Amino acid sequence: MIRPAVPHEIPRLADIWLRASLRAHDFIPAAFWGSHRDAMASDHLPGAEELLVLEVEGRVIGFAALNGERLEALFIDPEVQSYGHGSRLMAHAMAHHARLSLCVFSRNVRAVSFYRRLGFQVVEERIEPLTGEPETLMAWQR
């Protein structure tokens, strides 16, 4: 089931974000992710205009955070990745928006490929200011 998140789920979502970020972004020091967990839980997730969770058998296993037409975050619990859960969340978001944009670390080849398969196009390459890592701005429209 995909539904709006409720406030008491924010710590679980921040935990998913941290564990998935560590796994997907091993080219960035782990301390960076750990130092941003509290801000994710207190500011970024609660501040999203849309915060959707994917719940399977009563357990929240992933989420998508959107601000307008911008996908700010899409994360699936590393224990259940590669089963189509991210695609389900994206299909939901794409069904409710005429266009979406997002940024992804360029070295996260798996994520770049995932978004390309969904029809996202590369708009530009740039440097993400907090990490100094290259990131790819991508966009999709119906």
Side-chain angles (χ1 to χ4, degrees), residues 48-50 66-72 96-97 99-101:
E49 292 174 15
E50 276 182 271
L66 296 105
N67 286 317
E69 296 177 338
R70 183 166 174 83
L71 179 69
E72 302 288 355
H96 291 87
H97 295 272
R99 61 185 137 274
L100 291 170
S101 66

Side-chain angles (χ1 to χ4, degrees), residues 2 4 7 9 15-16 25-26 28 31 43 49 59 65 67 80 88 93 96 100-101 118 122 126 130 140:
I2 296 174
E9 294 171 322
D15 178 61
I16 290 171
H25 309 115
D26 60 356
I28 295 172
D43 300 330
E49 292 174 15
R59 180 176 166 230
N67 286 317
V80 293
R88 285 180 59 198
H96 291 87
L100 291 170
S101 66
L118 294 176
V122 172
R126 56 192 186 193
L130 294 177
W140 166 87

Side-chain angles (χ1 to χ4, degrees), residues 2 13 16-22 24-25 33 40 45 48 50-54 61-67 70-78 81-82 84-94 100-105 108 110-118 120:
I2 296 174
L13 302 183
I16 290 171
W17 170 83
L18 178 59
R19 290 184 297 110
S21 293
L22 289 167
H25 309 115
W33 300 111
M40 182 61 64
L45 294 175
E50 276 182 271
L51 184 56
L52 304 170
V53 297
L54 175 59
I61 62 165
F63 70 92
L66 296 105
N67 286 317
R70 183 166 174 83
L71 179 69
E72 302 288 355
L74 175 74
F75 288 92
I76 303 298
D77 189 322
Q81 288 180 357
S82 301
H85 300 305
S87 295
R88 285 180 59 198
L89 274 168
M90 285 305 299
H92 182 88
M94 293 164 82
L100 291 170
S101 66
L102 58 89
C103 284
V104 61
F105 286 109
N108 186 349
R110 185 174 176 211
V112 173
S113 297
F114 169 76
Y115 292 119
R116 282 184 187 271
R117 284 193 308 274
L118 294 176
F120 282 77

